Amino acid sequence: MSRVLVIGCGGVASVAIRKCCQVSEVFTELCIASRTKSKCDALAAELEGKTATKITTAQVDADKVEEVIALIQSYKPDLVMNIALPYQDLTIMDACLACGVNYMDTANYEPEDIEDPEWKAIYEKRCKEKGFSAYFDYSWQWAYREKFEKAGLIALLGCGFDPGVTQAYCAYAKKHEFDTIDTIDILDCNGGDHGYPFATNFNPEVNLREVSAPGSYWEDGHWVEIPAMSIKREYDFDQVGMKDMYLLHHEEIESLAENIPEVKRIRFFMTFGQSYLTHMKCLENVGMLSTTPVEFEGHQIVPIKFLKELLPDPASLGPRTHGKTNIGCIFTGKKDGKEKTYYIYNVCDHQECYQEVASQAISYTTGVPAMCGALMLLTGKWNKIGVHTVEEFDPDPFLDALDQYGLPRRENHNPVLVD
Ligand code: NDP
């Protein structure tokens, strides 16, 4: 029996909400709150009569702490699931602290305005000290550790697929397969085709910022940064086939380097088709990925926000996307003094997702882990007070839940390694 407040009602949140409604015995009451309330109302209307979960809706601007506090105080949830955008992480964490409620999200904090001088000064210092220049990092949310510990609350960070399930795979490998892990390669393959020359599978602004940033990986205790898309490999993915993949910076590398300190190298690769890369480079070259406002015919326009309006809504890709995703981790390391390798991954079919929850597999592979993470917190299976990432919790009940609710694991004890 629990009351959950979900903030956000986009592609990922819609899947998470639909999945919560399949587990009504735990998610007995749900409030869907977002900036645009009509989207929450439409989803609530669609679910009416199909679930025992009691759904209400609310309007909230989660950039405003006081609005989130007022909503939490009136709804009195047991947990707040932040499935809005990374820009709202800190305001929602502040509100949870003020109201004494557990918190979770699916992506680590980054600011909406990267020209903000206060943020920029801290960012530039971090770039120099840590050696990677992505706009997002864990420092902002890790700064809340003591506050959550003192309040006796849990903040679960980054509980989607990557970050999220990939870290549970690492915790699982460490618990069951290895005494020591030497290397981790996280491989994110989307073999789906939506038929558009260019579209992003989740929020375009967040996605394009991530992909156009320099790549980086962790090696021998420090970051190595490389120009965007400059390390390319080919890999033959189970049920998808041969794909080009590129090394990216990704947020879970940072927490894994801290939580599995013996690991010598951690890399993250994502597959991209040539059409996507050509469009992205062109948009970047003409300034369309910029977050700095420009004046146009008397209006202030942020190019990347304008671009978002032109691109297909990721939530609309579901019916048109065919093919599969394959996301997982390849490990090398030692068990009982012997060298070994191990690959754990999930394969997810875009059309099967669409049939089940009216969404493509990218939102599905993020929304299902968000529901399963909430399930772990609400059932007390994960009860470590403080601010934590997924690899800090017991992976077993979480992976069991993923097996049950749509993202079953697959294993290979003799995988082809990435050179
Ligand atoms: P969408 O853009 O589809 O949805 C975002 C939702 O948040 C919308 O409903 C939007 O409302 C709402 N929102 C935005 N700003 C505010 C605000 N100030 N107050 C209240 N609501 C707000 O994004 P996605 O569903 O694609 O992504 C959701 C999250 O999941 C993101 O943080 C993304 O980075 C993360 N993600 C994580 C992945 C993982 O594997 N860990 C993979 C993919 C995504 P409105 O309708 O008004 O715009």
Side-chain angles (χ1 to χ4, degrees):
M1 291 265 292
S2 55
R3 284 162 82 82
V4 173
L5 170 63
V6 180
I7 301 183
C9 191
V12 175
S14 302
V15 173
I17 291 161
R18 287 171 196 269
K19 295 302 281 194
C20 292
C21 289
Q22 293 178 8
V23 195
S24 298
E25 63 280 16
V26 176
F27 297 87
T28 36
E29 295 186 33
L30 209 65
C31 176
I32 313 171
S34 192
R35 189 169 50 186
T36 312
K37 185 170 176 282
S38 56
K39 290 188 191 168
C40 312
D41 292 335
L43 181 58
E46 218 184 293
L47 287 163
E48 190 160 352
K50 295 183 188 147
T51 175
T53 303
K54 191 175 163 227
I55 302 175
T56 49
T57 61
Q59 199 279 331
V60 71
D61 179 352
D63 289 323
K64 301 194 173 105
V65 184
E66 60 289 354
E67 281 196 26
V68 185
I69 290 178
L71 178 59
I72 295 176
Q73 282 173 344
S74 74
Y75 188 66
K76 299 189 174 34
D78 303 299
L79 171 69
V80 174
M81 296 174 75
N82 167 16
I83 321 183
L85 295 176
Y87 313 145
Q88 283 84 45
D89 288 2
L90 303 185
T91 45
I92 300 177
M93 286 177 88
D94 282 330
C96 284
L97 274 172
C99 300
V101 184
N102 288 336
Y103 166 92
M104 65 172 286
D105 63 35
T106 59
N108 72 7
Y109 174 71
E110 66 181 272
E112 186 159 17
D113 176 13
I114 53 168
E115 301 304 325
D116 172 14
E118 209 178 309
W119 174 83
K120 210 169 180 173
I122 297 171
Y123 164 74
E124 281 168 359
K125 187 164 170 274
R126 184 267 278 166
C127 289
K128 267 196 207 121
E129 279 172 11
K130 290 204 170 176
F132 68 91
S133 56
Y135 294 136
F136 49 88
D137 72 76
Y138 276 113
S139 65
W140 300 89
Q141 291 179 280
W142 281 344
Y144 283 71
R145 280 170 170 161
E146 212 183 311
K147 288 184 202 162
F148 272 76
E149 275 162 26
K150 277 196 181 140
L153 294 172
I154 305 174
L156 169 61
L157 307 185
C159 196
F161 207 107
D162 44 340
V165 179
T166 50
Q167 289 137 291
Y169 285 164
C170 294
Y172 182 87
K174 179 79 184 151
K175 183 173 174 186
H176 298 288
E177 297 284 338
F178 293 92
D179 295 325
T180 51
I181 297 175
D182 292 331
T183 66
I184 303 172
D185 278 333
I186 303 166
L187 271 48
D188 179 333
C189 163
N190 180 9
D193 183 5
H194 44 58
Y196 287 116
F198 186 72
T200 63
N201 292 299
F202 69 96
N203 184 282
E205 196 179 324
V206 177
N207 179 245
L208 289 167
R209 273 191 186 197
E210 173 181 306
V211 171
S212 57
S216 65
Y217 58 98
W218 182 255
E219 191 167 51
D220 295 329
H222 61 87
W223 291 95
V224 181
E225 185 157 275
I226 54 153
M229 305 291 166
S230 60
I231 294 186
K232 175 185 166 187
R233 298 282 186 272
E234 277 192 329
Y235 199 80
D236 192 3
F237 289 92
D238 182 23
Q239 298 190 51
V240 175
M242 198 62 95
K243 288 278 169 194
D244 290 342
M245 59 184 192
Y246 297 82
L247 189 144
L248 297 187
H249 174 82
H250 223 248
E251 65 199 63
E252 64 266 53
I253 301 177
E254 193 186 0
S255 69
L256 287 168
E258 178 155 315
N259 291 315
I260 315 183
E262 85 260 15
V263 181
K264 295 189 183 79
R265 191 187 66 202
I266 312 171
R267 301 183 296 186
F268 181 98
F269 290 92
M270 190 178 273
T271 62
F272 294 100
Q274 200 47 54
S275 173
Y276 181 97
L277 293 179
T278 308
H279 278 80
M280 192 186 73
K281 196 74 216 159
C282 175
L283 290 166
E284 189 180 18
N285 285 343
V286 297
M288 282 302 289
L289 303 191
S290 170
T291 55
T292 309
V294 291
E295 186 158 322
F296 177 70
E297 296 186 345
H299 300 279
Q300 290 284 313
I301 293 177
V302 177
I304 198 165
K305 286 193 186 295
F306 179 64
L307 175 65
K308 179 176 184 272
E309 288 309 303
L310 299 179
L311 290 175
D313 178 357
S316 72
L317 299 176
R320 339 175 19 117
T321 308
H322 295 264
K324 293 178 182 184
T325 61
N326 176 325
I327 317 174
C329 305
I330 299 177
F331 303 90
T332 66
K334 288 171 205 69
K335 180 80 174 170
D336 302 326
K338 285 196 192 118
E339 302 274 346
K340 69 173 282 193
T341 59
Y342 175 64
Y343 189 9
I344 178 168
Y345 60 97
N346 164 263
V347 176
C348 191
D349 184 283
H350 284 285
Q351 276 303 303
E352 282 174 18
C353 296
Y354 186 68
Q355 300 312 325
E356 188 196 329
V357 295
S359 154
Q360 32 81 359
I362 304 302
S363 300
Y364 190 90
T365 53
T366 312
V368 173
M371 182 283 278
C372 292
L375 192 65
M376 295 299 104
L377 298 178
L378 295 168
T379 54
K381 290 187 174 127
W382 285 359
N383 56 12
K384 201 189 286 186
I385 299 299
V387 176
H388 301 291
T389 42
V390 171
E391 71 272 28
E392 295 179 73
F393 294 95
D394 182 1
D396 292 347
F398 183 60
L399 295 191
D400 289 346
L402 291 167
D403 287 344
Q404 184 181 350
Y405 293 112
L407 296 175
R409 76 195 99 171
R410 291 163 188 267
E411 294 173 289
N412 180 348
H413 283 85
N414 188 23
V416 174
L417 301 180
V418 181
D419 61 16

